Amino acid sequence: MSLIEKNLGLPSAKARRSRIGQQGRTGSLRILRLKEALLSYVFLAPSLLLFGVFLFYPLIKSVYLSLQLTDPRGRVAAFAGLDNFRELFASEKFYQSLKVTLSFTLLTVPTCLILALLLAALSHNKLRGMRVFQFVFSLPIAISVGTGSVIWMMLYHPSVGILNYGLSLIGVAPIGWLTDPAWALLSISVMTVWMNLGFNYIVLLSGLQGVPEDIYDSAKIDGSGSMRTFIQLTLPLISPTLFFSTIVSIIGAFQSFGQIHILTKGGPMNTTDVVVYNIYQDAFVNFRFGMGSAQALVLFAIILILTLIQFKFFEKKVHYQ
């Protein structure tokens, strides 16, 4: 460093070259990060496009239509503001469909989870031939809603159905499984439990198989019985899996439509008219897209609130390893 640079406090040539090199490396690193970000967005573009077309656009369109009135052809006729929501909350039919939906959820979700957990507990042992039972118990997941509904329609048939035939063998009068208001919702619930059993069984079986065998060996050494081990050890260890299955099952129950549309079409006497089927009738049968969109948004809010409540209160009892 020269005397003038030292007296003036100027950096030396070596320090200037080091600073320039550091700035060059910083600029190169910034360009590299920018290229990586652009490349990641390129890979995400197809997924973002699908989400935009099939998720975000329908959501925005529903919000828009919920504020509009439509003509008999389904075209937007006038701005309604919140009138659709006021009419919805003043409608007894909406509260009736909401009551049916809650009853349907209470009938299907706990029953399906208990049965799936029981079957998973009985079949997760590594015994010979257990693979056959695992295949049979998980088979409903491979059957579509339409196919399953047709199968159960034949089972529920009032004259040629095997269920009424079995009742006739023991001297019981035939039951109108899908035509009697006292049995229609229960019949739909039984079919739904069977249809969802495969998914819940596979999820819970995976959770049980993830429990280390050392824990069971330690429990046996301590003299713990099978029931006590299952309640005090197994259930806490698979509580994250149970929590996931519960949330997914409740959301699925609130969105059930196919089996109800095929088997009962909301009848008899609106005993199986759940909220989703009510939305379908208002939007695609009566072409009241504003009212249908309003109901869809209210249903979305209800499902969101229920999910948040579960995360707020029930997640505290979940034991993550």
Side-chain angles (χ1 to χ4, degrees), residues 227-298:
M227 186 61 65
R228 183 182 177 185
T229 301
F230 183 77
I231 295 176
Q232 296 186 358
L233 288 178
T234 306
L235 285 182
L237 290 174
I238 66 170
S239 56
T241 307
L242 278 172
F243 183 65
F244 167 77
S245 298
T246 302
I247 292 179
V248 173
S249 298
I250 291 177
I251 294 175
F254 271 85
Q255 294 178 339
S256 296
F257 170 77
Q259 63 270 39
I260 296 171
H261 178 60
I262 295 174
L263 295 177
T264 62
K265 297 188 182 301
M269 298 174 61
N270 295 328
T271 53
T272 59
D273 187 19
V274 295
V275 174
V276 175
Y277 193 78
N278 202 18
I279 294 172
Y280 166 77
Q281 287 181 316
D282 279 332
F284 300 102
V285 176
N286 301 324
F287 295 102
R288 301 179 64 192
F289 290 109
M291 181 60 66
S293 299
Q295 289 187 74
L297 293 177
V298 172

Side-chain angles (χ1 to χ4, degrees), residues 109-260:
V109 174
T111 306
C112 187
L113 289 176
I114 292 173
L115 285 177
L117 181 60
L118 178 61
L119 295 177
L122 293 175
S123 62
H124 86 286
N125 297 316
K126 297 179 180 180
L127 299 178
R128 186 175 182 180
M130 197 59 65
R131 295 281 185 180
V132 177
F133 291 96
Q134 293 176 358
F135 170 76
V136 173
F137 294 152
S138 60
L139 190 59
I141 197 175
I143 300 176
S144 65
V145 177
T147 304
S149 299
V150 172
I151 293 173
W152 282 86
M153 181 184 294
M154 299 303 298
L155 294 176
Y156 286 140
H157 196 278
S159 57
V160 298
I162 192 173
L163 296 179
N164 280 338
Y165 175 74
L167 293 177
S168 66
L169 295 178
I170 58 176
V172 179
I175 296 175
W177 299 102
L178 301 176
T179 57
D180 189 346
W183 289 95
L185 184 62
L186 181 61
S187 301
I188 294 292
S189 300
V190 171
M191 181 263 169
T192 304
V193 169
W194 171 82
M195 186 179 64
N196 296 332
L197 187 62
F199 171 78
N200 287 317
Y201 169 78
I202 292 175
V203 173
L204 294 177
L205 180 63
S206 301
L208 288 173
Q209 291 177 344
V211 178
E213 292 293 335
D214 298 339
I215 296 178
Y216 295 121
D217 296 336
S218 301
K220 290 180 181 179
I221 294 174
D222 293 337
S224 177
S226 301
M227 186 61 65
R228 183 182 177 185
T229 301
F230 183 77
I231 295 176
Q232 296 186 358
L233 288 178
T234 306
L235 285 182
L237 290 174
I238 66 170
S239 56
T241 307
L242 278 172
F243 183 65
F244 167 77
S245 298
T246 302
I247 292 179
V248 173
S249 298
I250 291 177
I251 294 175
F254 271 85
Q255 294 178 339
S256 296
F257 170 77
Q259 63 270 39
I260 296 171

